Amino acid sequence: MWLTSSTLWLLLLATQCLAKSSSSQESFSAKNEAEVVFEKNTNSELLWAPYRSNCYFGIRPRYVDATPFIFGLMWFDTTQFDSMTKLRHFVSDEDNLERFTWEVYDPRVGGKENIIDPENNLNLTIYFAKTHDDQNWVVRVSGKPLDPSLNTTTSVIVYMNQNVGGDLKGPSRLVYMDNDADENTFTFTGVSEELGKYEVLVNDNYGTYYHNETLGSVEAVPGCDASRSAHVGLTIPDHEVWRARDIFQSLLTDSIKDVVTQLGENIESGLVPSILTLRNIHNFEEGNFHYIQKTFDLHEEKGFEFDVVYNNLESEQTIESGKEATKLINDAINEVNVRFDNHFDIENLGSDDKREFAIEVFSNLLGGIGYFHGTQVIDRETILDEDQFESIKFEHYKEEGPYSLFTSVPSRGFFPRGFYWDEGFHLLQIMEYDYDLAFQIAVSWFRLIDEDGWVAREVILGPEARSKVPAEFTIQSPQVANPPTLLLALSEMLTKLIENSDTLGTPHAAIDSDVEDGISAALGTNFEYIIKYSKVIYPKLQQHFQWFMDTQRGQLEEYMEDMEDDVTFSQVHQDYVFKWLGRTVTHCLPSGLDDYPRAQPPDVAELNVDTLAWVSMMSRSMKNIAHILELEADEAKYAEIEKKTVENMDLLHWSEKAHAYCDVTLDDEGDEEMMLVCHEGYISLLPFALKMMPSDSPRLKDVLKLMSDPEKLFSAYGLRSLSKQDPYFGAGENYWRGKVWLNINYLCLDAIKHYFPEVIEGSQQSSQLGDREASKIAQKLYSQLRENLVNNVYNNWKDTNYVYENYDPITGRGTGSVQFTGWTSLIVNILRRQAL
């Protein structure tokens, strides 16, 4: 991977968070001063951020679970009665926004998010910045009309809640303080058992509230007046706060009905913005939940701007003025720009557009980082067998937890939750920029490994996360795996660690430079320190590895009688064959390559080459960890597993006819003989992409030819997921049946560099294969593939403002979820490497 050696120990070091369990606590009973300072700084720096990934903008604190302070924004145009259908809150592709993007962002300091909403005639910019002690923050909301001549209004709703936790009579509260001086300024005082005492100030910087010169007053009925800010306080149960949009719409609908009752249906059109202003029609007693609605006139191009300031009253660095807020915002934006340029030399390409593209894509990956807390729906009883092939029904489920997860998400609009196989790719990107942040995320995932070694393929915690998931996908099963990409990232880091073990005693310059950037420095590295933290994570990973082996193990018994005289088959290591448990006739969701064609009809005896490749990668990772911990017996054990799985890939899954790796199944139409099922595409490449092929394997050349063939996988936009010659190409659901995906393309590029280091200009190393023709193919493929990927993702962004889940192999057009800044953000790593 394109990782620096200083990332290696950091992920291991992060396992300090596992010390929350009693067994782990013993390992950390003797923390030195540097460790304590590091933990304190990290928890402080990452306490506050827009961690509600599914909202266009929503804040909650990290690891504050009982009594967090929750904040969110909504907006809509109030000039028409049907405007509520355009109320924005949760990110949705159906909102048809022209743009929603973090232009610059770092969860440690803040950033700038821009949203262009044509249906609401609004160009909205949201700034977020924190004080240097990380305890206080400001949100600045700035809006302008896209077209001032349209005579629209924008109603922005701020909502906030102080959760009370389990004790409804506890001290946690959020109280509105009357302000007679300015009806549009609001002050709240709050107390959280976990956060302490704080104050929230909502204050206008500029803007004209709604008015209508043809009317003497725009107050429709008492309390319905868009010419001033509206406030409604009430009590909402903690677990229902995420429904802020639904509750707002319900209350506003009741208010509208009451207005119609009083005024009749022939209402002056100039009163509509006021009628769409929230009021306390039900006379709720003020509680911990508060709506503030501000309706601005968008006749003038200048628009409006207001600040929301949160100050912890025990902090010495409170935000006391708009000027201080402005300085914090400017400093945050400048700091993120400097940090990005220090880590990614995009500007060396001589293109400002490419740099803007890169920092936006990367900022949106960081902007998708969220903190989730709640229960998970799990079925531990349903057994998967041959009946699963028609359909899988998990009917014996229940909620477990609560659990917590700190993670980035693939896409805020369509996938705002934790995905196990996506997260490893996210980490490969984040590690390049902020090692500490990456290991915090990784450790949060490691914490979820249960006593059996299982972690869910999708982590969907609490009702807010579940609201974005189709019911059939919410239930998780301990029998169903996913590609273990977290161990992929760890494996690459540990490989680098072994290669650079002689430098472990000295601090890394990259770490020291973070001090100059205003970001807390990571702990200095030494071999003993790495061992200390590796010992904490090691048992968890052992359990996870064994769980994967046990649940996804295949069987050779069905082939024995037919293949007993086959010399090659007799060399197969029978205990090291694997399949994806949980596939159906049409889908193999556990593989991550959902509708990628597999053997038809499915059979319990099916063996999948990609499962085997992932197990092989896991064994290599475990071998490297055992080596660092000087656990010689374990190192030898995992080395033996790695050796046998690598050998099985060639013995069992290589097709001499197709010159590719293929799945294995029984030929039901014949005499139930073993047959190779070859659908050339990503599964054919995974042994290569995961670097599990021997470095001198003559089959490397065949893999290169497959990737380079324009009639099969190579395209002007990247490697197709399925060969253009395959009968399933572009058929059916057409998800992994030809589309270009950045994650596998990234792995393939890196593998080319691994096997053929001469592809990098100035490299002093060359391929162990010693095949000049293969080397030439590799060099041409590496250069063209990288250029094609960069140009296509960049051109789509230039045309549409977005990056996508995948790309059409014929036209290059982005398809799938928009603003998919999960693994598609790996394009920044690829783009950066062009400059080297």
Side-chain angles (χ1 to χ4, degrees):
M1 281 308 133
W2 295 324
L3 306 173
T4 60
S5 59
S6 50
T7 67
L8 313 176
W9 58 274
L10 281 167
L11 182 57
L12 297 173
L13 183 155
T15 56
Q16 59 192 288
C17 296
L18 292 169
K20 285 193 173 183
S21 66
S22 58
S23 59
S24 299
Q25 189 63 54
E26 296 176 2
S27 303
F28 293 94
S29 57
K31 291 182 181 178
N32 59 40
E33 183 179 354
E35 293 173 68
V36 173
V37 170
F38 173 74
E39 288 184 18
K40 179 180 178 181
N41 289 346
T42 297
N43 291 335
S44 176
E45 288 172 3
L46 295 175
L47 172 64
W48 288 109
Y51 288 142
R52 298 179 66 200
S53 307
N54 59 321
C55 297
Y56 284 112
F57 190 86
I59 294 175
R60 65 152 297 149
R62 187 181 78 133
Y63 294 129
V64 177
D65 298 328
T67 59
F69 171 83
I70 306 295
F71 175 88
L73 281 179
M74 301 186 288
W75 69 89
F76 68 122
D77 168 32
T78 57
T79 54
Q80 302 292 331
F81 272 120
D82 64 354
S83 296
M84 276 200 293
T85 61
K86 302 172 186 177
L87 178 63
R88 312 305 193 205
H89 181 218
F90 288 161
V91 182
S92 173
D93 294 356
E94 297 178 359
D95 287 344
N96 301 314
L97 299 187
E98 185 177 313
R99 167 184 169 90
F100 66 93
T101 190
W102 282 99
E103 294 182 358
V104 292
Y105 177 72
D106 183 324
R108 295 188 187 275
V109 290
K112 174 185 178 185
E113 183 180 23
N114 179 240
I115 298 169
I116 297 180
D117 185 353
E119 292 183 3
N120 284 310
N121 191 32
L122 181 64
N123 184 338
L124 185 69
T125 301
I126 306 169
Y127 302 88
F128 172 72
K130 296 188 281 190
T131 53
H132 296 300
D133 67 356
D134 308 299
Q135 299 303 300
N136 309 314
W137 46 263
V138 58
V139 172
R140 175 163 290 173
V141 182
S142 178
K144 296 181 179 181
L146 295 173
D147 183 351
S149 68
L150 294 180
N151 295 325
T152 58
T153 63
T154 286
S155 197
V156 182
I157 301 96
V158 170
Y159 69 88
M160 60 189 83
N161 186 72
Q162 175 52 63
N163 285 21
V164 298
D167 186 0
L168 299 180
K169 297 182 180 180
S172 298
R173 64 183 183 276
L174 183 61
V175 179
Y176 168 58
M177 308 298 290
D178 289 328
N179 187 343
D180 296 331
D182 185 351
E183 62 186 4
N184 296 316
T185 296
F186 296 84
T187 302
F188 299 85
T189 60
V191 177
S192 162
E193 291 186 66
E194 296 164 284
L195 296 167
K197 296 180 180 179
Y198 60 88
E199 182 179 80
V200 180
L201 176 68
V202 182
N203 186 60
D204 292 350
N205 293 329
Y206 57 81
T208 302
Y209 282 81
Y210 175 70
H211 65 283
N212 190 309
E213 296 177 354
T214 66
L215 300 175
S217 170
V218 295
E219 186 173 38
V221 298
C224 275
D225 187 350
S227 69
R228 65 185 69 180
S229 298
H231 166 248
V232 174
L234 66 159
T235 297
I236 296 177
D238 291 353
H239 65 279
E240 297 289 346
V241 171
W242 68 276
R243 296 183 183 272
R245 182 182 190 271
D246 298 337
I247 296 169
F248 177 85
Q249 288 180 312
S250 178
L251 295 177
L252 189 53
T253 298
D254 290 346
S255 178
I256 293 171
K257 290 179 180 178
D258 178 70
V259 173
V260 173
T261 299
Q262 294 186 52
L263 301 183
E265 295 185 0
N266 296 321
I267 297 175
E268 167 66 46
S269 61
L271 294 177
V272 172
S274 291
I275 296 171
L276 292 177
T277 300
L278 191 64
R279 59 189 173 126
N280 191 0
I281 185 176
H282 298 295
N283 295 316
F284 295 118
E285 291 186 9
E286 185 176 314
N288 283 359
F289 187 98
H290 299 268
Y291 288 112
I292 297 172
Q293 183 176 5
K294 292 175 175 288
T295 301
F296 294 100
D297 208 319
L298 292 187
H299 292 151
E300 299 179 6
E301 188 172 344
K302 184 178 181 181
F304 63 87
E305 182 179 281
F306 66 89
D307 291 343
V308 180
V309 174
Y310 174 100
N311 279 321
N312 185 311
L313 297 181
E314 298 176 4
S315 168
E316 296 180 358
Q317 297 183 14
T318 55
I319 305 168
E320 300 296 339
S321 67
K323 288 185 178 180
E324 289 183 19
T326 299
K327 185 177 188 308
L328 283 174
I329 290 168
N330 291 337
D331 287 349
I333 292 173
N334 290 337
E335 185 168 355
V336 177
N337 275 293
V338 169
R339 292 199 79 209
F340 181 83
D341 289 338
N342 284 344
H343 290 279
F344 300 103
D345 297 326
I346 305 299
E347 75 279 1
N348 291 343
L349 296 175
S351 170
D352 291 338
D353 275 351
K354 288 283 177 66
R355 188 217 175 256
E356 180 186 351
F357 159 67
I359 195 170
E360 278 197 10
V361 171
F362 183 69
S363 293
N364 279 282
L365 170 65
L366 296 182
I369 292 174
Y371 177 69
F372 302 87
H373 179 78
T375 57
Q376 175 96 329
V377 181
I378 300 174
D379 183 341
R380 295 184 181 271
E381 297 182 22
T382 300
I383 303 299
L384 300 182
D385 52 29
E386 62 270 14
D387 293 333
Q388 77 192 40
F389 296 137
E390 291 304 320
S391 65
I392 299 176
K393 295 182 179 179
F394 293 115
E395 299 175 332
H396 307 287
Y397 56 86
K398 59 183 179 180
E399 292 186 29
E400 297 184 10
Y403 304 108
S404 298
L405 180 65
F406 183 53
T407 184
S408 46
V409 303
S411 113
R412 292 166 59 202
F414 207 77
F415 302 109
R417 55 192 182 273
F419 280 78
Y420 177 78
W421 108 280
D422 292 65
E423 195 56 37
F425 292 106
H426 301 165
L427 289 180
L428 294 177
Q429 179 69 79
I430 295 172
M431 288 170 189
E432 292 279 359
Y433 174 80
D434 188 331
Y435 314 133
D436 294 358
L437 177 60
F439 81 66
Q440 289 285 321
I441 292 172
V443 168
S444 186
W445 275 93
F446 291 142
R447 271 205 209 124
L448 293 178
I449 298 174
D450 69 13
E451 59 185 10
D452 296 321
W454 171 69
V455 59
R457 58 183 293 270
E458 292 188 34
V459 179
I460 311 165
L461 302 181
E464 183 168 356
R466 283 197 284 275
S467 70
K468 298 284 286 188
V469 187
E472 63 268 27
F473 297 121
T474 59
I475 305 168
Q476 302 297 301
S477 167
Q479 297 181 76
V480 179
N482 229 196
T485 56
L486 285 172
L487 281 177
L488 166 66
L490 182 59
S491 175
E492 295 296 335
M493 289 190 292
L494 293 177
T495 299
K496 293 287 187 181
L497 178 62
I498 294 170
E499 293 172 354
N500 296 279
S501 59
D502 58 330
T503 65
L504 288 176
T506 57
H508 291 280
I511 304 301
D512 291 341
S513 67
D514 278 349
V515 179
E516 299 173 2
D517 291 342
I519 307 298
S520 72
L523 293 165
T525 120
N526 59 73
F527 198 73
E528 292 75 18
Y529 198 74
I530 296 171
I531 290 176
K532 179 177 181 180
Y533 286 97
S534 297
K535 286 180 178 178
V536 177
I537 195 175
Y538 185 69
K540 285 273 190 181
L541 297 183
Q542 280 186 304
Q543 291 174 316
H544 186 46
F545 177 80
Q546 194 59 48
W547 168 84
F548 198 102
M549 290 260 292
D550 292 343
T551 57
Q552 310 305 302
R553 195 182 302 276
Q555 52 189 12
L556 282 179
E557 290 83 355
E558 301 284 346
Y559 304 101
M560 289 300 186
E561 183 176 351
D562 180 66
M563 302 296 295
E564 60 183 353
D565 297 327
D566 187 285
V567 175
T568 300
F569 183 81
S570 66
Q571 300 174 42
V572 172
H573 306 287
Q574 298 183 20
D575 291 335
Y576 298 97
V577 296
F578 300 92
K579 64 181 179 182
W580 294 112
L581 185 62
R583 73 156 287 198
T584 63
V585 173
T586 58
H587 287 79
C588 185
L589 297 180
S591 72
L593 311 177
D594 302 4
D595 66 335
Y596 192 99
R598 303 282 180 167
Q600 294 296 342
D603 194 285
V604 292
E606 179 179 323
L607 303 173
N608 302 123
V609 64
D610 49 333
T611 327
L612 178 63
W614 286 112
V615 172
S616 189
M617 182 280 300
M618 292 178 79
S619 61
R620 177 182 61 193
S621 177
M622 295 303 297
K623 177 191 70 176
N624 291 347
I625 298 173
H627 174 81
I628 291 173
L629 299 181
E630 298 182 348
L631 300 173
E632 295 182 3
D634 281 4
E635 181 182 0
K637 179 182 76 172
Y638 291 118
E640 184 67 14
I641 296 173
E642 179 187 5
K643 175 177 177 293
K644 290 178 177 178
T645 52
V646 168
E647 290 175 351
N648 273 3
M649 273 187 281
D650 282 350
L651 291 170
L652 196 59
H653 291 282
W654 180 259
S655 169
E656 291 294 346
K657 179 180 178 181
H659 297 284
Y661 290 104
C662 309
D663 286 343
V664 173
T665 192
L666 285 173
D667 182 4
D668 287 341
E669 295 183 1
D671 298 324
E672 294 195 342
E673 297 179 348
M674 186 179 80
M675 63 178 290
L676 290 164
V677 179
C678 297
H679 294 284
E680 294 172 316
Y682 285 172
I683 69 162
S684 314
L685 302 181
L686 272 174
F688 171 83
L690 295 176
K691 306 174 187 173
M692 299 316 305
M693 297 177 68
S695 295
D696 58 354
S697 172
R699 289 167 178 149
L700 288 169
K701 189 174 182 179
D702 290 315
V703 177
L704 289 176
K705 288 181 177 179
L706 174 60
M707 288 190 288
S708 302
D709 190 342
E711 296 304 312
K712 292 186 176 180
L713 301 188
F714 187 83
S715 82
Y717 314 111
L719 297 177
R720 305 179 183 106
S721 49
L722 186 65
S723 169
K724 192 166 69 170
Q725 296 180 351
D726 194 282
Y728 288 94
F729 178 79
E733 184 181 320
N734 191 21
Y735 199 40
W736 292 86
R737 295 187 173 188
K739 299 288 181 66
V740 175
W741 296 77
L742 262 291
N743 58 336
I744 305 299
N745 274 271
Y746 176 84
L747 293 180
C748 288
L749 271 178
D750 194 48
I752 295 171
K753 188 181 70 170
H754 168 77
Y755 287 111
F756 300 91
E758 61 267 28
V759 303
I760 300 300
E761 184 177 353
S763 172
Q764 302 300 310
Q765 297 178 302
S766 58
S767 168
Q768 294 183 29
L769 183 59
D771 186 318
R772 293 184 63 185
E773 182 185 3
S775 179
K776 289 182 179 180
I777 295 173
Q779 292 183 58
K780 182 179 180 182
L781 175 62
Y782 185 83
S783 175
Q784 290 185 343
L785 178 58
R786 185 176 58 181
E787 182 177 357
N788 290 353
L789 290 166
V790 168
N791 288 342
N792 190 56
V793 178
Y794 170 74
N795 288 336
N796 270 273
W797 171 83
K798 188 98 171 157
D799 292 340
T800 69
N801 293 314
Y802 296 121
V803 297
Y804 292 83
E805 185 177 3
N806 47 54
Y807 294 85
D808 187 277
I810 306 301
T811 65
R813 180 178 57 87
T815 55
S817 176
V818 303
Q819 205 64 315
F820 191 93
T821 46
W823 58 43
T824 301
S825 65
L826 287 166
I827 197 65
V828 179
N829 271 10
I830 298 172
L831 179 62
R832 174 194 182 192
R833 293 299 162 175
Q834 280 192 319
L836 300 181

